[in-house]
Amino acid sequence: MISRGERAANYIILSLFAAFALYPVVVILAAALGPARRGGTAGLANFAAAWEIGRFGSYLRTSLAVSVFVVVVSVVLSIMSGYAFGTMRFRGRSLLFYLFMLGIMMPSEAVAVPLYFDLRSLGLIDTFWSISLPQVALSVAFGTFWMRAYFLASNRAIVEAARIDGASSWRILWQVLLPAARPAVVTLTVLVFMWTWNEFLIPLIMVTSESLRTAPLGLAFFQGQYTSGFTLLAAGSVIVATPVVIFYLFLQRHFVRGLLQGAVRE
Amino acid sequence: MAAPPGEPRRVAYLYLLPAFAVYAVFLLYPIGRAVQISLYDWDGLSLGTWAGLDNYVAIVADEGLRAAFGHALVLIVFYAAAPLVIGLALAAILNHAKVRGLGFFRTVVFLPQVIAMVVVAVAWRRVYAPDGSLNALLGALGLDALTRGWLGDYTFALPAVGVVGTWFETGLVTVLLLAGMSRIPLSLYEAARLDGAGAVREFFAVTLPSVRAEIAVALTLTVIAALRTFDLVYVTTRGGPGDSTSVPSYEVYHRAFGLGQVGSAAAIGVTLTVVIFVISFGINRFADRRTS
């Protein structure tokens, strides 16, 4: 049905676009593996040099700690709140749900400024909590929405049967409903992990000490301070981007599904 | 809403409590505080003075702030309009022609979505640098007259930032539209063919109306992303040269922590929030009408 010429044209258009999409990635990778202007390193040694000079070890540690905390806490809280909204009836249900929905769309830049000044007067600025808890709040809004949709569509007959057997609501959630909810939970986990790992504004505002800098923040500072050539900056960029990219390559389906179906947050 | 769930359970409040507590303390309360702060003239240190709606009036009256919102509108063209046009073309091709390597293509075009924006900005700064690869490419094509330091150029800095937006939003839009197009029943195309429609008429009569909902979602996501541009501007241009790439989110940060105009920063943040709510609400209404 499709002529050979048309098919060739299609492949050319798609290849051109794929090249455009990959181009900056290739620029960074090539630079990261190329010869460094200073230090005389090249290839994989650049990563070790960047790790050392750019202190990316410390930044990755902070990012990992923040991400694990935000993911675990917000996923557990979202499962619980989504369960309530999706399977129970109670007074104020719609109102509370709409309140949560506001959080999905709320831009973090609007809340980060007052949060900074309030946390400062409480002496909580420049702490692990000042980076993590605002991000838990942002993620919980989306997570509640996401898990509610899952529980609404879940099998009511199983829940009713378990209730008749005398199972508590707590047991029904964790032992009856959750095992089947794994795909929804995995999608939520990878999205929250990606958002938290890549977040820039909140750590930028909340953190002054170097030991609490997250990976993207560390990279931004490294760019500002390190001016001898692009090689180590590129190596640092690869280090910062790699964890999420690896997750993406293995769990691509979850990233695509999550970002397409529910991602009103970003 | 789906079927009313379960019977009345008061235990629901217990399940909601932890999530709601974090949410209320770290989002709802701060946005309330933002509204309050926005009504004051405050440098973040001394006592603020009541300013009424002055900070909001300034968004319309102040030339710098008007420019920042104007730049956001320009970015919408690059973040939302261009990806939509390119995405429609790419998705139509992918859906129509049974091309091989679709999975690979999808992986590649979606990749920009998962890379930290700071990394994206570092990469593009390199591409746009005076000795960067864009100028090298232009030089190789014999277009030396066009080479410049793109991000330092008053005319080209904003479009240069915008192109980065086009780069990372197009994949998302394409994959979204492709999902919608793959759900169009083949019989619709066959009917169009029988009526003698060509590829172009087929696209406008069958494909485009069928992906209205996907277009709405794509526009919501990309327009909001354009309005919220921060990391990219912070790393590439810091609003410069001059204020040629200043955008609302960057102004929030710059005014609050650079200029000590916290009230004005809060007012911009609140305005941005309202604009985003209105856009999301409007586009969701549009999508709802279609499904009902």
Side-chain angles (χ1 to χ4, degrees):
Chain A
M1 224 161 79
I2 303 162
S3 74
R4 190 175 286 184
E6 195 184 335
R7 171 167 305 200
N10 286 343
Y11 275 112
I12 289 169
I13 293 170
L14 294 178
S15 307
L16 278 178
F17 192 76
F20 174 58
L22 278 180
Y23 179 62
V25 179
V26 173
V27 166
I28 281 278
L29 278 176
L33 291 169
R37 201 187 294 170
R38 191 184 289 176
T41 57
L44 292 176
N46 290 334
F47 293 102
W51 187 273
E52 215 37 57
I53 298 169
R55 306 202 184 181
F56 282 98
S58 151
Y59 304 151
L60 287 194
R61 246 195 329 275
T62 304
S63 270
L64 190 66
V66 170
S67 301
V68 168
F69 178 84
V70 172
V71 165
V72 170
V73 174
S74 56
V75 167
V76 170
L77 297 192
S78 302
I79 289 172
M80 286 166 57
S81 56
Y83 177 55
F85 281 122
T87 68
M88 299 175 190
R89 206 151 41 138
F90 50 93
R91 199 186 277 254
R93 180 167 163 267
S94 310
L95 179 74
L96 280 169
F97 183 67
Y98 284 124
L99 218 48
F100 269 102
M101 286 307 87
L102 290 183
I104 291 189
M105 292 174 282
M106 210 178 285
S108 48
E109 40 276 56
V111 291
V113 170
L115 212 46
Y116 169 84
F117 289 100
D118 284 339
L119 290 176
R120 195 184 65 179
S121 42
L122 292 171
L124 283 172
I125 216 67
D126 202 23
T127 60
F128 177 82
W129 310 111
S130 65
I131 325 173
S132 309
L133 290 173
Q135 297 196 72
V136 171
L138 285 164
S139 302
V140 144
F142 173 77
T144 299
F145 161 78
W146 182 256
M147 291 314 299
R148 168 188 171 269
Y150 173 80
F151 286 121
L152 268 181
S154 68
N155 192 339
R156 303 224 48 85
I158 298 177
V159 177
E160 292 311 319
R163 286 192 64 187
I164 290 165
D165 284 348
S168 66
S169 66
W170 185 254
R171 262 194 67 186
I172 292 176
L173 170 59
W174 299 107
Q175 292 181 3
V176 179
L177 285 175
L178 208 64
R182 228 185 67 184
V185 173
V186 172
T187 302
L188 180 60
T189 302
V190 297
L191 287 183
V192 173
F193 172 73
M194 175 179 80
W195 286 328
T196 310
W197 187 275
N198 291 350
E199 173 66 38
F200 180 65
L201 179 74
I202 289 175
L204 173 70
I205 289 179
M206 299 295 175
V207 159
T208 48
S209 50
E210 200 188 340
S211 59
L212 276 172
R213 275 181 203 159
T214 59
L217 187 61
L219 179 63
F221 274 92
F222 188 51
Q223 176 188 249
Q225 287 156 3
Y226 186 80
T227 46
S228 26
F230 184 62
T231 307
L232 295 193
L233 186 57
S237 302
V238 173
I239 293 174
V240 172
T242 299
V244 180
V245 171
I246 287 176
F247 266 97
Y248 168 67
L249 293 179
F250 282 103
L251 297 167
Q252 197 195 133
R253 206 164 41 89
H254 288 283
F255 278 90
V256 175
R257 191 169 71 119
L259 284 174
L260 296 192
Q261 284 181 9
V264 201
R265 198 197 103 158
E266 278 289 288
Chain B
M1 280 220 181
E7 53 192 83
R9 309 280 316 256
R10 224 172 290 165
V11 70
Y13 297 114
L14 281 181
Y15 283 99
L16 284 179
L17 186 65
F20 190 75
V22 181
Y23 177 67
V25 171
F26 289 94
L27 268 186
L28 286 182
Y29 176 73
I31 194 76
R33 285 277 288 151
V35 172
Q36 187 195 6
I37 293 172
S38 72
L39 302 175
Y40 285 82
D41 233 348
W42 187 41
D43 60 6
L45 297 166
S46 53
L47 221 55
T49 50
W50 176 256
L53 293 175
D54 288 359
N55 288 324
Y56 291 94
V57 173
I59 292 174
V60 188
D62 183 286
E63 210 173 307
L65 281 182
R66 235 183 14 229
F69 278 89
H71 296 155
L73 287 181
V74 175
L75 288 186
I76 288 177
V77 175
F78 284 96
Y79 276 62
L84 184 62
V85 173
I86 302 170
L88 276 169
L90 290 175
I93 291 175
L94 287 167
N95 188 49
H96 190 69
K98 304 275 171 279
V99 289
R100 254 184 260 176
L102 177 62
F104 173 76
F105 182 77
R106 188 165 32 204
T107 307
V108 167
V109 298
F110 207 79
L111 184 65
Q113 285 289 319
V114 308
I115 297 176
M117 191 54 79
V118 176
V119 173
V120 167
V122 168
W124 280 92
R125 248 179 80 114
R126 183 70 204 144
V127 171
Y128 286 139
D131 62 343
S133 48
L134 178 57
N135 283 341
L137 181 71
L138 290 172
L141 293 173
L143 298 168
D144 297 88
L146 293 178
T147 60
R148 67 196 75 226
W150 294 90
L151 293 170
D153 188 291
Y154 277 87
T155 314
F156 286 98
L158 186 62
V161 169
V163 166
V164 181
T166 308
W167 174 76
F168 68 74
E169 295 294 0
T170 302
L172 175 80
V173 174
T174 306
V175 176
L176 190 59
L177 292 171
L178 189 59
M181 287 184 192
S182 66
R183 282 194 288 270
I184 302 173
L186 269 179
S187 56
L188 278 182
Y189 286 111
E190 278 156 17
R193 281 276 149 93
L194 283 178
D195 287 348
V200 175
R201 263 207 46 208
E202 185 185 278
F203 176 79
F204 285 103
V206 179
T207 312
L208 206 53
S210 307
V211 292
R212 246 180 56 182
E214 282 78 12
I215 292 175
V217 174
L219 285 178
T220 315
L221 293 175
T222 52
V223 168
I224 290 177
L227 291 172
R228 294 193 48 193
T229 308
F230 176 79
D231 313 8
L232 185 59
V233 164
Y234 182 90
V235 175
T236 52
T237 64
R238 302 246 171 162
D243 66 351
S244 59
T245 57
S246 69
V247 286
S249 290
Y250 187 76
E251 283 300 311
V252 171
Y253 173 81
H254 183 54
R255 283 176 187 244
F257 302 107
L259 302 177
Q261 302 174 0
V262 185
S264 170
I268 302 166
V270 171
T271 305
L272 198 59
T273 309
V274 171
V275 170
I276 287 174
F277 279 3
V278 168
I279 288 172
S280 310
F281 186 72
I283 299 182
N284 281 331
R285 282 280 299 255
F286 176 85
D288 279 350
R289 209 174 50 213
R290 198 194 99 106
T291 47
S292 60

